[in-house]
Amino acid sequence: MTSLGFRPTHVVPQRGMPAWEEPDPARPTVSLDAFLPVQLVERRGDWGHVLCANGWSAWVDGRFLVAVPQDPPTADGDPVTRTADPRPLLTQVERVLADYRSVVEELASGGLDGESFRTRTSGLRIGVVVDGESMWLYDAEHGRWEYVDGTQLSTYATDDGPRAAAADPGHAPTRVVTPDGP
C-alpha cells in the first residue's frame, strides 16, 4: 500500500542494501529489498534518510541509491553550475571500452588465454547509464559518478565510505552567573 503523496526519488540497488536506525554503523536494522522505491528525505554526509511507501524509514549509504530519472538534485533549487566539460570523460570511456573490446576479440579468436585476459583487463573500469538526455558516467580516475545533462558535468557520488556529518557545535558551555557577575 502506497502512502498518499509518496513520490519515490530513488530505488534501492539491484542487490539490496543494508539499513540503519540512525546514521551510525553500530545500529543496523533490516536490509532494504532490491528495487524498492524510496524517497530520500535527508542527507548527512554520505548517509541518506529514506522513507518507504509504507511509512517505514531508515538510514542508508545514500551514494548507492539509484535516482529515479528526473532533474538532478540542486541546492536550494538553484540551477546546476557547470563544473566541467563532459567530453573528455566520454573520450576516456570510449577508449576503455575499445581496449576491453579488443582484448575480448583476442580471447574469442583463441589468441589469448584466460590468465592473459585477466591480466590485460585488470584496472579497466567504466560505468555509463544513459536515460534520454540524462547520463551518469563513472570517473575511475577520481572514483566518482558524474551526472551529465548534455553540457554540464557535476559530481553525483563518490567511492569513499560514508562520511559522518560535520559535528554540530551546539551552544557554548553553560556558565553559572551570580548577581554580581560571572
Side-chain angles (χ1 to χ4, degrees):
M1 178 174 164
T2 304
S3 303
L4 286 176
F6 177 80
R7 181 170 180 230
T9 58
H10 295 78
V11 294
V12 172
Q14 183 175 359
R15 294 185 180 175
M17 69 187 319
W20 293 269
E21 291 180 18
E22 298 291 330
D24 175 1
R27 303 207 42 188
T29 188
V30 178
S31 293
L32 300 179
D33 293 332
F35 303 115
L36 177 71
V38 296
Q39 186 178 56
L40 182 63
V41 295
E42 181 181 355
R43 278 206 183 260
R44 288 188 194 167
D46 289 336
W47 290 99
H49 189 216
V50 295
L51 176 66
C52 301
N54 65 1
W56 188 76
S57 66
W59 288 89
V60 298
D61 185 342
R63 300 168 303 135
F64 297 107
L65 291 169
V66 179
V68 172
Q70 59 188 12
D71 292 337
T74 61
D76 302 324
D78 294 337
V80 175
T81 57
R82 184 182 182 114
T83 57
D85 182 346
R87 291 175 291 182
L89 187 52
L90 284 168
T91 300
Q92 182 180 349
V93 167
E94 290 171 344
R95 182 191 50 77
V96 171
L97 185 58
D99 291 349
Y100 185 83
R101 182 182 179 97
S102 172
V103 177
V104 166
E105 292 291 340
E106 282 187 63
L107 179 67
S109 69
L112 213 55
D113 62 33
E115 184 59 34
S116 297
F117 177 77
R118 278 187 289 286
T119 300
R120 295 209 19 218
T121 57
S122 177
L124 294 180
R125 189 167 192 197
I126 61 172
V128 179
V129 176
V130 177
D131 184 20
E133 66 186 34
S134 298
M135 178 174 24
W136 290 262
L137 292 172
Y138 183 72
D139 180 352
E141 182 179 340
H142 297 100
R144 62 187 180 209
W145 279 94
E146 304 284 353
Y147 174 81
V148 183
D149 70 357
T151 60
Q152 299 176 14
L153 179 73
S154 57
T155 300
Y156 191 74
T158 67
D159 285 350
D160 300 331
R163 294 180 302 268
D168 181 8
H171 57 80
T174 304
R175 296 184 311 166
V176 175
V177 179
T178 64
D180 299 334

